[in-house]
């Protein structure tokens, strides 16, 4: 069989994922044999795939003849014997280790000597499913994302015993589907789910430390780093009943690594049944307690002044504030009653104010690395005059509390540190991790590309300052970042 000659794909499990993968294979010119133990699941899969093709015909992106031909290549079966003529079998049944192991053993007894075998598991190790397999060299992970036809990235997971030739054929198959393969070692969470912890866990830690409300953290990350969804909106959508156990499993499965440790805030909310949208008890359900003003009335806003040394870095923030009516002073000395805007890079606002001998009650901070698009997130200390804060807090300006590292800086670092650890451990290449962040998680850029863009030396200094100030182990040194900083990237 050549690299590209997978012409018939068997898919076991006609649920959300199985039917999506079947649709994708049909659209790519392959035949699909969809097997499920429930005939109702098969019927509803058929109707859904047919409905999707019909909609494409209505839109004019698929001809009626092609739609008929694609449906003709789909077979629905309720028994595994139907898989004997397939080139590749993808298991997409319920996420249960015993079920998956039993199924693999049954499939192995029915297939041809060169049939490839894959699992779409999200949370088990491939080698765990294949622990007693007869042909572990032919078995690998093909982790599609939901919805499979639209999410263009697939993680190709190498089990302990998967042969390199099989992995090359798996990669070629993903390319033949028109999707992007990324190659990953068999670690809990693979690339995407492990990397995703850097976003939601650090955000939960920021909330737990009372740095800002859920809403302000969401707003800051959307505006500052262009995430399509804030971390709390995301957890509400996914459901904490899914996110918390998955986070625990990834932490446990990766040697209880502190970078992946789920904060107790998540455990408490999980145990309290605060799952998110699915039961109407989410982080963002009750906006009254979420903080952040909803108006843009800045008629009483104080004059804003930045020290000369910070003016270049503050330019985007000052321009944005000026565009919504805040008056900016370019005097050499701070005018009376003005707010003093200081640049923060891993240091506390109070530390910078003290060093510059400025009155702490008038000081607020900004993030020079992530100034924000359309919205600005500023930092107040415990000594900042709350009346000044209230006069600036509006729809376009929000405030978080003083800490070591701003909200965006801490998220960028955690994403980069987790990604860097994966590179250092040989889990995946930097390019594949960056691709995964963008295509599977919807991030505007990859975590490692972002660090290189901002300057690895600068990010390493930021990390060192936060680690020194907090002694929190997830900010411990990283081999990847240290080497990137030393090599001057
Ligand atoms: P689902 O619950 O929608 O569908 C599972 C299907 O498998 C059901 O139709 C069920 O009847 C069938 N099934 C169960 N045991 C079977 C057996 N022994 N033989 C034949 N059919 C059997 O599940 P879903 O969401 O499609 O997930 C499937 C797999 O894909 C899981 O391993 C999951 O972790 C993984 N996955 C799910 C994603 C998602 O967003 N839903 C994303 C990526 C991976």
């Amino acid at each position: 069989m050549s690299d590209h000659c997978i012409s018939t794909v068997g898919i076991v499990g006609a649920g959300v994922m199985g039917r999506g993968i079947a649709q994708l294979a049909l659209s790519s010119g392959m035949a699909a044999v969809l097997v499920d133990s429930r005939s109702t699941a098969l019927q509803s899969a058929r109707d859904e795939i047919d409905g999707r093709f019909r909609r494409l015909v209505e839109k004019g992106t698929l001809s009626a003849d092609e739609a008929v031909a694609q449906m003709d290549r789909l077979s629905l079966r309720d028994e595994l014997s139907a898989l004997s003529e397939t080139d590749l079998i993808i298991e997409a049944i319920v996420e249960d280790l015993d079920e998956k192991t039993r199924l693999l053993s049954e499939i192995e007894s029915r297939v041809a000597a060169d049939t490839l075998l894959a699992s779409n598991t999200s949370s088990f190790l491939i080698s765990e499913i294949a622990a007693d397999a007869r042909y572990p060299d032919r078995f690998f992970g093909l982790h599609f994302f939901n919805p499979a036809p639209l999410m263009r990235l697939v993680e190709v997971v190498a089990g302990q015993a998967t042969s390199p030739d099989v992995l090359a054929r798996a990669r070629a198959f993903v390319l033949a589907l028109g999707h992007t393969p990324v190659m990953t070692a068999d670690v809990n969470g693979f690339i995407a789910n492990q990397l995703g912890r850097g976003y939601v866990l650090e955000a939960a830690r920021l909330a737990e430390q009372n740095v800002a409300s859920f809403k302000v953290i969401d707003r800051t990350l959307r505006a500052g780093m262009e995430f399509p969804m804030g971390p709390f909106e995301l957890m509400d959508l996914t459901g904490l009943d899914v996110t918390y156990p998955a986070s625990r499993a990834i932490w446990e499965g990766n040697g209880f690594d502190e970078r992946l440790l789920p904060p107790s805030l998540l455990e408490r909310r999980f145990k309290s049944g605060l799952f998110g949208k699915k039961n109407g008890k989410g982080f963002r359900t009750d906006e009254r307690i979420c903080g952040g003003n909803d108006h843009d009335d800045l008629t009483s806003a104080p004059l804003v002044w930045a020290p000369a040394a910070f003016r270049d870095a503050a330019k985007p923030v000052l321009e944005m504030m000026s565009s919504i009516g805040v008056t900016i002073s370019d005097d050499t000395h701070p005018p009376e009653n003005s707010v003093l805007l200081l640049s923060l890079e891993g240091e506390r606002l109070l530390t910078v104010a003290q060093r510059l001998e400025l009155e702490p009650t008038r000081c607020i901070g900004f993030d020079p690395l992530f100034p924000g698009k359309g919205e600005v997130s500023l930092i107040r200390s415990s000594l900042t005059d709350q009346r000044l804060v209230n006069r600036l807090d509006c729809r376009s300006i929000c405030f978080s509390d003083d800490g070591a590292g701003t909200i965006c800086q801490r998220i960028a670092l955690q994403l980069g540190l987790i990604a860097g650890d994966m590179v250092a451990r040989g889990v995946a290449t930097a390019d594949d991790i960056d691709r995964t962040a963008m295509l599977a998680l919807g991030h505007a850029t990859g975590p490692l590309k972002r660090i290189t863009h901002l300057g690895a030396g600068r990010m390493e200094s930021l990390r060192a300052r936060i680690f020194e100030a907090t002694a929190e182990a997830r900010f411990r040194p990283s081999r990847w970042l240290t080497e990137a900083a030393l090599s001057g990237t």
Side-chain angles (χ1 to χ4, degrees):
M1 190 193 299
S2 89
D3 274 2
H4 298 274
C5 105
I6 288 180
S7 53
T8 305
V9 186
I11 299 141
V12 189
V16 178
M17 294 308 293
R19 60 187 68 179
I21 298 167
Q23 182 195 332
L24 184 58
L26 296 169
S27 310
S28 309
M30 300 171 200
V33 181
L34 190 53
V35 178
D36 201 290
S37 45
R38 289 184 306 127
S39 59
T40 47
L42 288 170
Q43 198 47 49
S44 104
R46 203 208 87 90
D47 292 347
E48 193 172 329
I49 296 171
D50 189 44
R52 287 194 204 146
F53 287 152
R54 278 174 201 270
R55 277 195 293 282
L56 293 178
V57 172
E58 279 160 24
K59 273 202 235 159
T61 51
L62 185 70
S63 77
D65 287 349
E66 280 166 8
V68 170
Q70 290 183 1
M71 285 310 287
D72 282 349
R73 292 199 299 272
L74 173 67
S75 329
L76 304 172
R77 308 297 283 271
D78 60 4
E79 52 187 48
L80 297 175
S81 55
L83 297 168
S84 59
E85 298 299 311
T86 54
D87 306 311
L88 163 68
I89 298 167
I90 304 171
E91 169 274 299
I93 64 164
V94 61
E95 191 74 343
D96 177 302
L97 186 58
D98 289 343
E99 286 277 334
K100 284 184 189 289
T101 312
R102 194 166 38 242
L103 178 65
L104 178 60
S105 156
E106 281 180 41
I107 289 175
E108 281 185 320
S109 65
R110 289 160 206 266
V111 294
D114 60 352
T115 304
L116 302 184
L117 307 171
S119 172
N120 189 46
T121 184
S122 296
S123 56
F124 299 119
L125 296 175
I126 289 306
S127 311
E128 188 175 16
I129 300 173
D132 297 318
R134 212 176 303 174
Y135 310 117
D137 55 319
R138 283 198 250 154
F139 185 58
F140 55 94
L142 267 185
H143 189 227
F144 288 83
F145 294 82
N146 186 20
L150 299 180
M151 296 291 289
R152 304 194 76 84
L153 187 116
V154 182
E155 293 176 310
V156 178
V157 189
Q160 297 288 340
T162 316
S163 92
D165 171 56
V166 165
L167 288 171
R169 286 158 66 190
R171 189 172 180 282
F173 167 70
V174 176
L175 288 170
L177 295 176
H179 276 26
T180 302
V182 286
M183 310 305 284
T184 168
D186 194 15
V187 293
N188 276 90
F190 310 136
I191 305 173
N193 285 337
Q194 203 175 134
L195 190 60
R197 299 314 96 191
Y199 191 45
V200 293
L201 300 184
E202 190 59 18
R205 189 82 61 189
L206 285 157
E208 187 173 70
Q209 293 172 349
N210 241 340
V211 167
S213 66
F214 306 132
K215 181 178 177 182
V216 165
I217 295 172
D218 277 352
R219 278 176 64 178
T220 301
L221 288 164
R222 272 170 173 272
M225 297 175 77
E226 295 177 63
F227 286 109
M229 219 183 259
F232 297 104
E233 293 168 310
L234 180 63
M235 283 190 275
D236 278 351
L237 188 68
T238 313
L240 208 53
D241 54 330
V242 174
T243 302
Y244 178 71
S247 300
R248 257 199 92 92
I250 291 171
W251 171 59
E252 286 174 10
N254 286 283
F256 301 95
D257 185 341
E258 296 268 6
R259 294 216 221 275
L260 302 168
L261 171 70
S264 56
L265 169 81
L266 296 189
E267 183 179 354
R268 284 196 305 275
R269 291 184 68 96
F270 169 75
K271 284 182 172 165
S272 310
L274 306 175
F275 292 156
K277 279 203 162 157
K278 60 183 73 170
N279 69 352
K281 294 176 183 175
F283 293 102
R284 299 289 305 273
T285 306
D286 191 349
E287 293 290 78
R288 285 168 308 168
I289 56 164
C290 283
N293 278 332
D294 234 3
H295 60 78
D296 260 345
D297 175 13
L298 290 160
T299 41
S300 66
L303 201 60
V304 171
W305 176 89
F310 296 151
R311 282 199 194 156
D312 276 351
K315 210 165 164 222
V317 173
L318 292 173
E319 279 176 2
M320 196 268 140
M321 291 172 94
S322 163
S323 75
I324 56 165
V326 178
T327 310
I328 313 296
S329 157
D330 54 8
D331 288 0
T332 319
H333 297 289
E336 213 174 315
N337 297 329
S338 57
V339 156
L340 318 180
L341 190 64
L342 310 185
S343 174
L344 300 182
E345 237 175 287
E347 280 184 299
R348 287 179 184 279
L349 176 58
L350 281 178
T351 312
V352 181
Q354 197 176 47
R355 193 175 59 241
L356 299 179
E357 297 179 2
L358 295 169
E359 216 178 300
T361 52
R362 292 165 62 193
C363 290
I364 58 174
F366 74 95
D367 184 339
L369 298 175
F370 302 99
K373 263 200 188 135
E375 271 194 47
V376 173
S377 188
L378 300 174
I379 296 101
R380 64 172 170 232
S381 79
S382 54
L383 297 184
T384 309
D385 184 341
Q386 187 58 36
R387 286 166 301 183
L388 294 177
V389 170
N390 291 344
R391 283 157 61 197
L392 281 168
D393 194 341
C394 63
R395 191 182 302 136
S396 310
I397 302 176
C398 62
F399 280 87
S400 59
D401 281 346
D402 196 13
T406 66
I407 293 171
C408 291
Q409 289 170 5
R410 280 174 53 169
I411 293 286
L413 266 178
Q414 277 313 307
L415 287 171
L417 291 169
I418 291 171
D421 287 350
M422 282 197 260
V423 176
R425 291 174 187 155
V427 171
T429 64
D431 281 349
D432 273 356
I433 293 171
D434 281 338
R435 261 183 218 116
T436 305
M438 295 172 75
L439 296 178
L441 304 177
H443 295 184
T445 187
L448 300 171
K449 222 181 276 168
R450 183 186 292 114
I451 285 191
T452 310
H453 173 73
L454 293 168
R458 189 176 187 183
M459 293 304 279
E460 167 54 13
S461 305
L462 179 67
R463 182 208 61 74
R465 268 185 231 125
I466 297 177
F467 186 50
E468 195 185 319
T470 63
E472 286 175 5
R474 68 191 183 288
F475 290 106
R476 70 179 186 272
S478 133
R479 188 171 118 204
W480 181 86
L481 185 54
T482 307
E483 286 174 6
L486 288 173
S487 68
T489 54

